[in-house]
Amino acid sequence: MGELILVRHGETEWSRTGQYAGRTDIPMTEAGRAAVRRLAPVFAARPVTAAYASPADRAVQSAALIGLPDVRTDEDLWEWDYGGYEGLTEQQIEATRPGWDLWRDGVIPGDSAYHGESVEQVAARIDAVLGRVEPLLSGGDVVLVLHGHLQRVLAARWLGLPPEAGRLFAHPHTATISILTREHDRPVLGCWNARADSVVGGQ
């Protein structure tokens, strides 16, 4: 039985400044590309049977730099649609909504390009992804190249928790690996937010 390997894309200017980037296609920085390249050896010795990426260019490029073969894009792997909070930092949001919390309070609608999503809507996309990829794990590892908040919701759903339990997982850094696996046929968290040099193949 394979493992579900999650890769957060490389650094962008917005991830560096803490701006919410849901559907805005921000390119990676040079540092981001270099960090992603360092992940490639992790996958060279693993039995990857399938790989999927968010359609965002930062995710597609990350998958290519890692050297993943035959990567398919999946619309359900887009980041949380932050609506009217797109491009803002948490501090800017809290200036108008003191004490705001994404997991509890959600987002406000934006323009036609940024409708905004509830955590339940994000979870519905994640459940669809898991329904498609879990059967593939019988043949080896499956890699998903995706985004930070989406990854946290995915981890919660893998463990059978409600989507808002994603708040219990630290926000993954860019160019990191997390592994969802099984132990005694129970879904467990194998590792979280690991840099390339700390991930050992075959966990």
Side-chain angles (χ1 to χ4, degrees):
M1 180 65 72
E3 297 178 309
L4 186 56
I5 305 174
L6 312 179
V7 179
R8 189 178 174 206
H9 61 76
E11 176 197 76
T12 68
E13 290 294 345
W14 281 20
S15 67
R16 181 157 52 188
T17 57
Q19 293 169 261
Y20 283 92
R23 302 305 170 94
T24 305
D25 214 350
I26 304 295
M28 282 189 290
T29 62
E30 276 302 322
R33 285 188 282 273
V36 167
R37 286 190 192 97
R38 289 193 287 273
L39 298 177
V42 175
F43 297 95
R46 295 195 67 111
V48 176
T49 189
Y52 299 88
S54 159
D57 188 60
R58 56 193 183 273
V60 173
Q61 280 199 15
S62 292
L65 290 170
I66 290 168
L68 295 171
D70 303 318
V71 178
R72 304 178 194 175
T73 58
D74 189 328
E75 291 289 330
D76 286 332
L77 290 177
W78 270 110
E79 178 61 294
W80 195 322
D81 184 341
Y82 299 120
Y85 294 147
E86 183 78 7
L88 300 182
T89 65
E90 191 168 318
Q91 292 74 23
Q92 288 173 318
I93 298 168
E94 287 185 335
T96 57
R97 292 187 70 179
W100 173 81
D101 178 81
L102 174 65
W103 302 96
R104 182 191 64 229
D105 304 320
V107 302
I108 59 173
D111 59 24
S112 59
Y114 306 101
H115 299 284
E117 284 183 297
S118 67
V119 68
E120 292 81 12
Q121 289 172 313
V122 177
R125 291 196 281 117
I126 286 301
D127 289 347
V129 170
L130 288 174
R132 291 192 290 271
V133 303
E134 282 193 78
L136 303 177
L137 294 171
S138 61
D141 295 336
V142 176
V143 182
L144 304 180
V145 185
L146 69 175
H147 309 273
H149 277 120
L150 198 77
Q151 179 173 320
R152 294 166 72 179
V153 175
L154 193 150
R157 299 304 295 148
W158 173 264
L159 297 172
L161 300 172
E164 58 269 20
R167 62 160 56 95
L168 302 176
F169 301 95
H171 199 73
H173 298 300
T174 53
T176 55
I177 291 171
S178 299
I179 298 177
L180 305 178
T181 187
R182 290 186 179 274
E183 189 174 90
H184 305 301
D185 205 35
R186 291 190 299 268
V188 297
L189 186 65
C191 77
W192 188 256
N193 200 26
R195 300 290 186 189
D197 57 4
S198 65
V199 177
V200 179
Q203 286 190 22

